[in-house]
Each structure stands twice: as C-alpha cells, then as structure tokens.
C-alpha cells in the first residue's frame, strides 16, 4: 500500500516520509499550519508556499521546503503533489502515487468558497483519507453572505447602545475570514494579540484585511465603546475580556449549529461559520474523488464510517491525534 498508518502518523514507505505526523519524524509533509497538523520537532518539513509564512511564525526556525499547488515532486519511489483544500490559506490535500496506486490525504477541508483561501479542488484517487469533524446531517452551512449580515446586524445593534461585541474565533483562518465579512464603518475592530500576530503574517503575504487595532495592556476601552473585539474563544472567558463592559458575547463556529453548545459557552449569539466541510460537503467531496476506499480520521468517525459503508464504500476508521474544529484555543 502506498500509505500506512503508524504510531507516528500517516507513513509512505516508498518515499520515507510522513503526512501531518503527531510524533517527531525525519521528514514531514504538512497539509496546513493548524497546531494539530503542523507540530514541532520534525527534521524537515514540506508545505505549500502559501502555508509557509504562518508555519514559520508558529514553529520558529525549522527546515522548511515549499511546493506550489499542482507541482509534482518525486520523493524516493513516490510521486507527490499538493492541491487546494479550501480550509485556510495555503491548506492542501496531499496526493501520493506509488506503483499506480493513488492516495489523497485531505487534512482539513471545506467546499464552500470564501475570499481568503484557494477553493477546494477534487482529486481523483483510489484511497481518500478524510476528516468528518461535522459528519452528521444536522450540520449544514448557511450562505456566507447571510452569516455576514447576522454578524454585522448584531454588532451594529450593540454599537448603537454603547456595548462591545466580543466575538470568539480561532486565530488562524477563522478570525481572518470573519474580518473579511465585517463592515468597518460600524465601529473600530479590536483584536487579541494571537489574532493580530497572524493578521500581520497574512498581510505580509498580500492578503487584504480590514484595519484592526491590537488590544494592548494600556488601551482605554472607554474610548472605543461599540467596538467589535475579536479574540480566540478561550480569551473570552478570562480576565482579558473583562475590561470590555458592557458587552455581548458571540462565537463563530460550525458548533453553533447545536444550541446546547452555545448555551454551555454562555454566548448571547452563535454564528454558524466553519472552515470544515458540512455533511453535504463531506459526501460530495468523497464522491468526486472516485475513491472506493475511504479512511475516516477525526470527528464523528463511527457514525460517518457506518454511513459510508451503507453507501457502498469500503470505509474504515483511522485513529489519529487530529482534533478538527474546537471552541478552545487551537494551540
């Protein structure tokens, strides 16, 4: 088999490399820069040129080689290429061909296009390794324009009465996608340091984002009433957020489709916005690969693998340390 599943991660013996390994290895091919896929400690890394700046920002001095979407590279006895996953800027599906057998490791992906990431492209293969973070029919994503209208309407109503709008979104990808949906004419946009640092990296890549103001320890919130404050989810429940009063709290996540999750987070508003595929997107992506063998990695694995088997696929569950979308800080 072109790929096997080992305690270190997904392994290609022919090329002697791993894909998104969770234990230190000599050579790692990385789908994208989120912390559960791009980890410290590997000898050498290969990722897309678009993912490289964030990876260097997060991992520091690493030995990192880059590859463009669609570029073919021979590594030992394997032929590899990286293809858009639509998840976050630079995210990729990794195609591996050995002896005519083709595998695609999707990492995390979504099919709905946005203004931030290169749109998902289906890749034909025999074996497809897929996430299923939102692998239940209840997860169906609204149109992005509708979500933008909801967020801006909530923010404008809060600003009109002098309330802050505290919005939780993880620092890489989701926060910048939210920024692209905001109407800067409503009030100032303030950002947590983790988000502003990532913003700086992406602006350095030429990605356009609206003007934001980094929240410093000496900032006087009273001078910015009505602002939207964008922060990682974990920051909204601690002392960092308490300076912004009065406030309404919201979260932008696919998990906001479940009312119980919003209640547990004590959120006033939940906005359904995810960088992962919903139920329909997962099924469509799998069908478009033409693969008969589906390997399910993280999410609702048991339910989704059973569903795929009922649809005629040869489906199995692979135990990994990937986490998918959470309402905790990704790091």
């Amino acid at each position: 088999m072109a790929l096997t599943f080992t305690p270190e991660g997904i392994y290609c013996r022919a090329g002697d490399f791993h894909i998104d390994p969770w234990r230190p290895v000599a050579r790692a091919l990385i789908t994208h820069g989120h912390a559960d896929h791009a980890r410290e400690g590997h000898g050498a890394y290969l990722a897309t040129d678009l993912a490289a700046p964030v990876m260097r920002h997060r991992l520091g001095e690493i030995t990192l080689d880059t590859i463009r979407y669609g570029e073919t590279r021979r590594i030992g006895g394997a032929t590899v290429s990286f293809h858009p996953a639509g998840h976050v800027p630079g995210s990729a599906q990794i195609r591996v061909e050995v002896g005519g057998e083709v595998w695609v490791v999707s990492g995390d992906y979504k099919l709905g296009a946005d203004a931030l990431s290169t749109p998902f492209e289906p890749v034909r293969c025999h074996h497809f390794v897929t996430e299923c973070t939102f692998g239940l029919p209840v997860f169906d994503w609204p149109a992005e324009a509708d979500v933008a209208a909801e967020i801006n309407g909530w923010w404008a109503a809060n600003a009109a009465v002098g309330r802050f709008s505290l919005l939780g979104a993880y620092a890489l990808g989701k926060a910048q996608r939210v920024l692209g949906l905001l109407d800067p004419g409503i009030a100032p946009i303030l950002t947590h340091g983790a988000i502003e640092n990532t913003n700086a990296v992406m602006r350095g890549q030429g990605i356009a984002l609206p003007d934001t103001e980094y929240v410093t320890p000496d900032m006087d919130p009273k001078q910015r009433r009505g602002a939207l404050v964008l922060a990682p989810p974990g920051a909204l429940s601690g002392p960092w957020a308490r300076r912004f009063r009065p406030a309404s709290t919201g979260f932008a996540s696919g998990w906001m489709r479940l009312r119980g999750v919003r209640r547990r987070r004590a959120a006033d508003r939940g906005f359904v916005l995810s960088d992962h595929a919903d139920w329909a997107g997962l099924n469509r992506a799998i069908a478009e690969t033409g693969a008969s063998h589906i390997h399910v990695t993280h999410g609702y694995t048991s339910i989704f693998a059973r569903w795929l088997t009922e649809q005629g696929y040869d489906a199995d569950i692979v135990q990994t340390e990937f986490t998918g979308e959470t309402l905790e800080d990704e790091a």
Side-chain angles (χ1 to χ4, degrees):
M1 299 227 309
L3 297 179
T4 56
F5 303 101
T6 72
E8 293 74 27
I10 303 168
Y11 180 61
C12 176
R13 182 177 299 278
D16 193 22
F17 60 79
H18 291 77
I19 298 175
D20 289 355
W22 45 88
R23 300 283 185 275
V25 300
R27 184 165 193 169
L29 277 58
I30 304 297
T31 60
H32 66 286
H34 278 143
D36 58 326
H37 292 261
R39 300 173 187 246
E40 298 176 336
H42 306 313
Y45 297 76
L46 177 65
T48 68
D49 53 341
L50 298 174
V54 163
M55 286 182 57
R56 289 192 175 101
H57 165 66
R58 293 191 147 199
L59 300 178
E61 293 297 323
I62 57 173
T63 302
L64 173 60
D65 191 10
T66 63
I67 187 170
R68 298 184 304 276
Y69 286 135
E71 177 185 345
T72 298
R73 188 168 300 188
R74 189 75 176 174
I75 303 177
T79 301
V80 304
S81 54
F82 287 53
H83 304 268
H87 177 55
V88 296
S91 61
Q93 306 168 80
I94 299 179
R95 181 187 186 274
V96 180
E97 181 173 355
V98 176
E101 182 180 84
V102 178
W103 287 61
V104 170
V105 179
S106 63
D108 292 331
Y109 64 93
K110 77 172 188 305
L111 272 64
D114 60 40
L116 190 67
S117 305
T118 307
F120 177 92
E121 294 179 5
V123 182
R124 303 288 290 184
C125 57
H126 303 106
H127 292 257
F128 187 56
V129 182
T130 181
E131 62 148 315
C132 61
T133 303
F134 294 107
L136 291 178
V138 68
F139 295 110
D140 59 316
W141 304 151
E144 188 175 75
D146 293 341
V147 179
E150 290 179 7
I151 295 174
N152 286 314
W154 167 70
W155 178 20
N158 290 331
V161 295
R163 269 197 304 265
F164 290 100
S165 298
L166 300 179
L167 185 58
Y170 52 71
L172 169 56
K174 179 68 67 60
Q176 292 75 34
R177 189 175 170 200
V178 167
L179 284 171
L181 303 181
L182 297 179
D183 175 3
I186 295 173
I189 303 170
L190 311 182
T191 52
H192 186 280
I195 290 174
E196 193 57 33
N197 290 338
T198 307
N199 289 349
V201 174
M202 291 194 180
R203 287 184 175 118
Q205 292 180 251
I207 295 174
L209 298 172
D211 291 339
T212 55
E213 185 177 356
Y214 165 48
V215 176
T216 60
D218 58 353
M219 174 183 282
D220 181 5
K222 294 178 181 178
Q223 302 300 316
R224 296 162 180 82
R225 288 193 185 278
L228 184 138
V229 184
L230 193 60
L236 298 190
S237 59
W240 183 90
R242 292 186 192 129
R243 74 191 82 178
F244 302 106
R245 293 289 183 270
S248 177
T249 301
F251 291 93
S253 172
W255 294 113
M256 293 299 104
R257 181 58 82 192
L258 304 179
R259 293 181 181 179
V261 173
R262 196 182 89 185
R263 287 196 299 269
R264 288 196 295 275
R265 299 296 301 201
D268 301 311
R269 290 293 299 273
F271 304 101
V272 180
L273 187 71
S274 180
D275 298 326
H276 295 256
D278 62 4
W279 171 261
L282 290 168
N283 281 277
R284 178 179 147 201
I286 290 167
E288 289 181 346
T289 67
S292 57
H293 304 277
I294 312 299
H295 309 277
V296 179
T297 56
H298 56 294
Y300 289 95
T301 52
S302 297
I303 295 170
F304 195 59
R306 185 166 62 248
W307 161 258
L308 292 174
T309 299
E310 292 170 354
Q311 307 313 303
Y313 294 100
D314 178 5
D316 59 58
I317 299 170
V318 178
Q319 298 299 323
T320 71
E321 294 188 12
F322 308 139
T323 59
E325 182 167 325
T326 74
L327 281 174
E328 307 303 326
D329 297 341
E330 57 191 311

